Amino acid sequence: MIVEKANNALYDFPKPTIAMIRGYCIGGGLGLAVCCDLRVASDNSRFAVPAAKLGLGYSFPGIKRLADLVGPSFTKEIFYTARQFDAAEAVSMGLVNRAVPVAELEAYVKTYADTIAGNAPLTVNAVKFIANETVKDESKRDPKRCAELVKRCFDSKDYIEGRRAFMEKRKPAFTGA
């Protein structure tokens, strides 16, 4: 299915992804947002999965990604009731990381992205991979690759630069090497 391929490509994308949500995030839009690493919503956003009102089914990967974020109980509530809920409730469920005033959304997400981009890319890459491994079945995890990514961080010039910058009380200049 094309939607599932697109969602998988976003979920598996090697760089950090941020869903900037303004307004309605319903059905497939919510499914797409759940594939991102982080979600920031305007405080006037509305969320729902109306599948039960439409008689359609959701595949295992989509339901699992939602359950990995909000737990099985909230996942069931979202699907069973098919009701809309606001950004504050989405934050309390763990569906979105932050809800900010609509007028500040773009600036907030830009600053958020810049903050991530200013950090050590090897570390961010390792954390993304390892965090994604934690939600896989244990038999499908790749602990060897996790260890390799951590070792790569410690063996990097960025690790030396990060410690040096900390001691010199300056912003580090990471290169990803």
Side-chain angles (χ1 to χ4, degrees), residues 78-97:
I78 290 167
F79 275 92
Y80 291 175
T81 66
R83 71 178 177 82
Q84 286 188 24
F85 52 96
D86 64 20
E89 191 171 356
V91 169
S92 72
M93 289 179 182
L95 179 60
V96 299
N97 299 80

Side-chain angles (χ1 to χ4, degrees), residues 122-123 126 148-159:
L122 296 175
T123 301
E148 289 168 0
L149 290 170
V150 171
K151 183 178 182 327
R152 187 171 175 214
C153 290
F154 283 112
D155 291 345
S156 73
K157 292 177 184 173
D158 279 354
Y159 177 59

Side-chain angles (χ1 to χ4, degrees), residues 88-131:
E89 191 171 356
V91 169
S92 72
M93 289 179 182
L95 179 60
V96 299
N97 299 80
R98 304 273 180 260
V100 300
V102 66
E104 299 170 19
L105 181 63
E106 285 185 42
Y108 185 91
V109 172
K110 169 99 173 69
T111 301
Y112 206 52
D114 288 344
T115 298
I116 293 166
N119 287 326
L122 296 175
T123 301
V124 172
N125 180 54
V127 169
K128 177 167 180 156
F129 183 86
I130 295 168

